[in-house]
Amino acid sequence: MASLLLELLQCRLMVFFICVTCIGPPFQFGFHISVVSAPAEYIKDFINQTWIHRYGVPTPDETLTLLWSLTVSIFSIGGLLGSLASGFLIRRYGKSRCMLCNNLVTLGASMIIGFSKMAGSFEMILVGRFLFGITSAAGINVSMLYLGEIAPKKLRGLTNTAGPVFATSGKLFGLLFGLREALGRESLWPFLMSICGVTSALQLATFPFVPDTPPHLLLVKNDKEGCMKAMKKLWGDGNHQAEIEDLINEQNSRKNTKIQSFLEIMQDRSLRLQLCVLTVLIITLQFGGANAIYFYAYDVFQQAGFSQDRIPYIAIGIGGCEILGALLCDAYYWVPYCSVVLIFCHILSSGLGPGGVTLSLSLEILTQAARPSAFTFTSTLSWAGLYIIGLIFPFMVKSMGHFCFLLFLGIIVASSIFLFLILPETKGKSITEITDEFNRIQCGKICCHGTAEGTPPDHVTCTRF
């Protein structure tokens, strides 16, 4: 690990472009998850004052709760649409144009939210959050593709973690900027909600200097000389002929692999357990309570018994716990602190569990032919789950108080039992061996043959012991 870090530091220009890439959509995604917590009361008050100005009466409680939950959750609706459209947009316009347009739309969304208070329109917040969701989801897909191509093969696993780390850092910075000493004041909340426009402006400023990746130059543009120059520029001087040969071999292997469609992976019996495992992980990630805490940290800690002035500082511990994971309130004064410790442990375990392994496990348990469609399926499910929990959680808190976490507990226990019984160990195993394990579990005590990667499910022969 130390040698990989040393080699990564030697590729300083590559590290710079990785940071430039990740300061955009990955960072912005995490930021928009957590930033709504700090100005929650100011935005609710703004909605109420706007309602009074328009209709002469205060906003009904249920209407205010609904508008606030829509303000939070509409980010996920935009994310769902952006995720579904990203594949088509990348194929049609290429990664460079997608990133350019993505940053321009982000700047537009920042201006819409930034001027919402001046215009007296809470609808502008909804529009801005919706656009932020689209750009975050579409941009993350483009960014992760770029990160996977800009690094040499031996550093690819390390650089692929940059996206999740920046996303988690974005959650922490969303909480830090929400402090009263920073931007968490009533007069500054529109700027707080739109500050991601600054990171998009930085990306646009460096955009002309971002090079094409070596795989893109060699495999798409067929420019071997340009590919070699890019390798030396990004990775330093040295003999990179082996990397070029690996790229050519990778291209040949892709030609011999038929990519399965969404309908085909749904009908493929040899993939059913894998898809069930990923579905359970996504459900646990979104309905385990971690993202609900980020979205509604103010409500959660208020229910725990903390005063309003302490909540923003306590919420910072949430982001700190998740970064560490990626790399009964009564009259007694000490009980709220016990609640906070348990919440921190909950976030930490989420980062160490479903939050940290879902993406890597998808790569390990799915064949190359199934991955694109399966990623679309899991991404869609994830954004849909994020929307649902963002929409319904305020009503859960209002009706159940702190007992709403008992529902999350039930989901976590049920998913833990399922994963313990179904998910085999994947460490040190090939995709063929992992597929055989899943087939044995699915069929009972069955010996399955012909499950090599790329083999159609119709060719799988099962013989009972």
Side-chain angles (χ1 to χ4, degrees):
M1 184 66 178
S3 60
L4 287 178
L5 288 173
L6 181 61
E7 191 165 350
L8 188 63
L9 290 176
Q10 292 174 349
C11 305
R12 289 184 290 272
L13 188 61
M14 183 189 72
V15 173
F16 171 75
F17 288 124
I18 289 174
C19 293
V20 168
T21 300
C22 291
I23 200 67
F27 178 87
Q28 293 170 3
F29 165 77
F31 187 87
H32 290 304
I33 290 288
S34 64
V35 74
V36 294
S37 175
E41 292 305 302
Y42 302 140
I43 297 176
K44 290 178 185 178
D45 183 65
F46 169 64
I47 294 173
N48 189 47
Q49 293 300 322
T50 304
W51 193 279
I52 293 174
H53 179 73
R54 292 178 182 177
Y55 306 110
V57 293
T59 313
D61 287 343
E62 290 189 358
T63 304
L64 182 60
T65 302
L66 178 60
L67 289 173
W68 171 236
S69 63
L70 282 174
T71 301
V72 173
S73 60
I74 201 169
F75 173 75
S76 307
I77 292 294
L80 177 60
L81 295 179
S83 180
L84 291 173
S86 61
F88 168 78
L89 294 175
I90 292 172
R91 290 192 300 270
R92 182 71 179 270
Y93 301 107
K95 293 190 286 291
S96 297
R97 289 184 180 179
C98 284
M99 285 303 296
L100 177 62
C101 294
N102 201 71
N103 283 312
L104 292 175
V105 175
T106 301
L107 285 174
S110 297
M111 294 181 66
I112 291 173
I113 291 185
F115 288 106
S116 60
K117 187 177 181 180
M118 186 183 300
S121 172
F122 59 80
E123 293 87 355
M124 293 174 66
I125 305 177
L126 296 173
V127 173
R129 291 273 296 172
F130 177 75
L131 293 176
F132 277 142
I134 293 177
T135 57
S136 295
I140 282 176
N141 290 346
V142 178
S143 299
M144 295 307 294
L145 286 174
Y146 188 82
L147 291 175
E149 295 178 359
I150 196 175
K153 188 176 182 179
K154 53 188 173 183
L155 295 177
R156 203 165 294 163
L158 192 60
T159 58
N160 281 342
T161 62
V165 169
F166 270 79
T168 305
S169 300
K171 294 178 182 179
L172 177 59
F173 275 92
L175 297 171
L176 287 172
F177 286 152
L179 294 176
R180 290 190 304 275
E181 291 80 359
L183 301 175
R185 286 172 280 176
E186 186 171 8
S187 59
L188 295 177
W189 70 259
F191 183 65
L192 171 64
M193 296 286 288
S194 59
I195 198 173
C196 276
V198 176
T199 60
S200 290
L202 289 174
Q203 270 205 330
L204 286 174
T206 58
F207 189 80
F209 308 102
V210 177
D212 284 332
T213 61
H216 181 79
L217 290 169
L218 180 64
L219 304 181
V220 178
K221 294 186 175 181
N222 199 26
D223 184 1
K224 186 175 181 178
E225 183 179 351
C227 175
M228 185 62 71
K229 288 181 179 179
M231 286 180 174
K232 291 182 177 180
K233 181 179 180 181
L234 293 169
W235 306 341
D237 294 329
N239 185 8
H240 303 296
Q241 185 61 37
E243 288 284 347
I244 292 181
E245 292 176 359
D246 285 341
L247 289 175
I248 295 175
N249 291 334
E250 183 180 350
Q251 185 184 40
N252 293 333
S253 66
R254 288 180 178 179
K255 290 180 179 179
N256 298 326
T257 303
K258 180 182 179 297
I259 302 299
Q260 292 178 276
S261 67
F262 176 77
L263 185 60
E264 287 174 335
I265 67 170
M266 291 291 109
Q267 295 175 340
D268 191 340
R269 289 180 295 176
S270 67
L271 294 175
R272 285 180 183 173
L273 269 187
Q274 290 92 315
L275 292 176
C276 285
V277 166
L278 292 177
T279 299
V280 170
L281 277 172
I282 294 295
I283 291 175
T284 308
L285 181 62
Q286 300 301 345
F287 295 97
N291 284 326
I293 295 173
Y294 272 116
F295 274 148
Y296 300 104
Y298 178 89
D299 303 273
V300 171
F301 288 119
Q302 188 179 48
Q303 286 290 331
F306 284 92
S307 59
Q308 183 176 349
D309 58 334
R310 292 186 179 184
I311 290 175
Y313 303 96
I314 298 171
I316 293 175
I318 297 175
C321 284
E322 189 171 5
I323 289 180
L324 183 62
L327 295 164
L328 334 163
C329 294
D330 53 28
Y332 297 101
Y333 73 93
W334 49 266
V335 175
Y337 295 93
C338 293
S339 299
V340 169
V341 171
L342 293 175
I343 289 173
F344 285 179
C345 292
H346 181 68
I347 296 294
L348 179 61
S349 61
S350 177
L352 290 170
V357 305
T358 301
L359 180 58
S360 59
L361 190 65
S362 302
L363 297 172
E364 293 177 358
I365 68 176
L366 294 171
T367 62
Q368 185 177 350
R371 285 171 191 164
S373 296
F375 282 171
T376 301
F377 167 73
T378 55
S379 177
T380 302
L381 188 63
S382 181
W383 281 105
L386 193 62
Y387 167 74
I388 293 172
I389 194 63
L391 184 65
I392 68 173
F393 188 71
F395 297 97
M396 293 171 60
V397 172
K398 192 173 182 179
S399 60
M400 301 176 63
H402 48 272
F403 292 104
C404 65
F405 279 88
L406 292 177
L407 295 177
F408 299 143
L409 175 63
I411 293 173
I412 292 172
V413 170
S415 64
S416 298
I417 295 173
F418 175 85
L419 294 174
F420 178 78
L421 295 175
I422 300 298
L423 181 62
E425 178 57 62
T426 61
K427 184 178 181 180
K429 295 181 181 178
S430 67
I431 183 62
T432 302
E433 294 171 328
I434 294 172
T435 303
D436 284 342
E437 289 284 345
F438 273 109
N439 279 319
R440 290 190 185 100
I441 295 171
Q442 181 175 354
C443 300
K445 290 193 173 182
I446 293 178
C447 178
C448 301
H449 308 282
T451 56
E453 181 173 351
T455 304
D458 294 339
H459 296 171
V460 177
T461 304
C462 297
T463 307
R464 289 195 176 272
F465 288 119

